[in-house]
Amino acid sequence: MSLGQPLANARAVCPDLVAHEADLTADARLLESIADWCDRFTPLVALDPPDGLSLDITGCVHLFGGETKLMQSVCDALTAHGLTVSAAIASNAVCARTLNRQVHGRIVPDGEEAAAVSALPVAALGGSDAITLGLRRAGLKTIGDVASRGRNEITARFGAAFTRVLAQALGEADAPINPRKVPPDYIVDKRFAEPIATDTVIAASLSSLAAMLVAAMAQQGKGARRLEACFFRTDGLVRIIAVDTGQPVTDAAVIDRLFRERLEALSDPLDPGFGFDMIRLAAGRSEIVVQQQRDLDAHVHDNDELSALIDRIAARIGGKRVVVHLPVDTHVPERAALPLPAQHNLAATSTANWPARHDGEPPLRPLRLFARPEAIQVIAGVPDGPPARFVWRRAAHAVVRAEGPERIAMEWWRPDGQGLTRDYFRVEDEHGLRFWLYRDGLYDRELEQPENGPLVQPLWYMHGLFA
Amino acid sequence: MTGARMDTLARLRGRIARLEAANGAHDLRRVALGHDEADAVLQGGLATGALHEVFAEAGRQAAAATGFVCGLAARVAARRPLIWIRQDFAEREAGALSMSGLAELGLDPCRLVVVRAPDLDHALRTAADALACDALGGVMLEVWGETQKLDLVASRKLTLAAQESGVTALLLRVAATPEPSTAETRWMVRTAPSPVVAPWMAWGAPRLDAELIRNRHGQTGRWIMEWMPDACRFSEPAADPQPVAAAPAHRAHQAEPRRRSA
């Protein structure tokens, strides 16, 4: 049996064959999780779909006792999980991939790529079927044969992309990989001979990792604004928990506390299974920390306290739920304030300029504003006059006072600004409740009246409540 | 009496003495609201570093109660940042807190951090956390509807946290009935009609019917309060809401006979 064989053929050979449909998304997910697991060897892991992974092990090899041992441990662990592995190490990713399509376990020293790949069949280059077939028809069976021809001939026949892959496989060109994640600025990790599973041990390990991380950052006077804890389970699953902060963190106790808050609040708690055999703490978005005089200037101290509090709340319930508002230069009431995550915009609020109120005027904007204005039934004295009575949420209100209209036109120059002009009224009912309502559309200009038939009435909406 | 029992007794006595000393020594700083009668009843003003509850009996009074809470916060915060904690769904019930509306009341939206908690447990936890942070001017917690979770234990936690740090906790309960709690004061707030004024005069400044229904250290009362956005304080309602401009003499003449004939 072989890859690409028709099912009928295979059934003829083996009548008891059990056929399963290919589940490409599950395959991709598996590849992702293997890539997560490979993070323990190097932060630079790239996917090579459908079934390959490239690991940039530059500078990581000595940690695992040399290339041979590193490859051995990767292959052993993956084989133990029931996967079939073929691996190769070479100076670039394309060369290694070319090798491991044919043979397993080759390690090619620098400068010997051409010799290593030249004996391999052209199919190892991973080109499309048409290219492989074309090469074979031209009598070029091995990569060495193809390399011996002029590159311009190959390009003319098979395209520049193929020539580039050929050059990379021969080690003549560099083949950078595209890592899945941005490598963090600082990494510290802890491996455990005996997997750990209890909360106290996990917390203690995180604390000591935090101390190590802070020490590493302190040498360069830096603090991190993004922290990631990766928990590597013995069965290969990896759980990544990230915490963002508004100010660069330089204190191990703060990191410790943030992670405690985050771990407590997880909707699906950390499941150690049979235990974690490695925990890693990585710091990203690191910044140089400017030391400030803290004891004398109360303002600096207050700001520090506030941003630390916001970080803690954000760690527990999510950064998007803690917001500050920035003013937007617009007349449309629902767009006047822009909510932004407080963690990253706290500094911007102090310089924000909100429109000043007019002295001596009562509030002209409601204190509570409905994100979605609610339709109401209105009886108005004259067609474009203020409302006399209205029904909102099944309760009737008689208008005692009304002021308006304040006419607000929609922003037609924006893609989502195609609305009708609104005439806002400030009204007060017989109980003293104060409302902000509007009539949607101008009578003669925006609402088309039919030639003969009933008059089209504009709709009214409740938009806000005054204190 | 055996030695062990004497020992226990002495220990308990000591504990009570310490508790009482803590209560007595805990002298609350007070901030005047600006409304003289209310300040007199409150013995100088609203206590900071304590829990205050503001109730709106129905959803339609939510804005009035919100205005009252914002006013209290503006009084106690003294230009320090504020945190407003609310549940996710409250926005649909009575609208979101509008920043332009806040600015119109004289508060600076720059100083406000809004937390949208997924549920009441998180909201309470966040409030307790925030109350521990002494950089804040006040923590406002908006809770919608009746709930079992805001019992004596929960309110005691908030009170203790507020006492510890000196940050004032303002609890806004909308569409809820008062239950026992450890709050320093409890208010029931309704909106009050604007005074009758001439058509050309401005109307619509926040005018609230604030009823102090519980006061741990004094009397209760009920007042009409007006919030003055420019002065950023409460005040008594204007005594004479009639237009200040004198009516022309001949008009008064005309009005006189008509009233007689009626």
Side-chain angles (χ1 to χ4, degrees), chain B residues 32 72 220 256:
Chain B
L72 296 184
T220 57
E256 202 82 4

Side-chain angles (χ1 to χ4, degrees), chain A residues 247-392:
Chain A
Q247 302 283 321
V249 182
T250 50
D251 188 354
V254 173
I255 297 181
D256 201 28
R257 177 152 185 204
L258 285 176
F259 273 108
R260 218 173 331 123
E261 300 271 2
R262 186 87 189 86
L263 290 176
E264 253 176 51
L266 286 179
S267 51
D268 49 337
L270 203 61
D271 175 18
F274 294 107
F276 298 116
D277 58 359
M278 177 169 144
I279 298 180
R280 161 182 293 173
L281 196 60
R285 287 200 218 139
S286 62
E287 285 174 7
I288 291 176
V289 181
V290 182
Q291 296 294 336
Q292 279 174 312
Q293 177 81 40
R294 266 145 222 279
D295 298 333
L296 293 175
D297 190 349
H299 185 67
V300 173
H301 171 77
D302 278 8
N303 267 352
D304 281 355
E305 291 272 305
L306 181 61
S307 54
L309 171 70
I310 290 171
D311 286 343
R312 284 200 298 276
I313 299 173
R316 186 146 14 87
I317 65 175
K320 284 186 186 149
R321 290 180 172 277
V322 190
V323 293
V324 289
H325 292 81
L326 289 182
V328 178
D329 190 13
T330 175
H331 289 290
V332 182
E334 57 264 39
R335 288 189 50 240
L338 181 68
L340 289 169
Q343 280 185 309
H344 311 301
N345 296 285
L346 199 59
T349 55
S350 56
T351 55
N353 278 322
W354 287 87
R357 59 169 267 107
H358 304 286
D359 280 358
E361 288 278 330
L364 301 177
R365 289 285 178 272
L367 184 56
R368 305 196 71 124
L369 193 75
F370 293 106
R372 202 172 279 241
E374 297 180 9
I376 50 175
Q377 286 89 49
V378 167
I379 299 168
V382 285
D384 48 4
R389 301 181 64 79
F390 65 93
V391 178
W392 175 52

Side-chain angles (χ1 to χ4, degrees), chain B residues 196-207:
Chain B
V196 181
V197 292
W200 64 84
M201 288 182 71
W203 58 272
R207 202 176 148 94

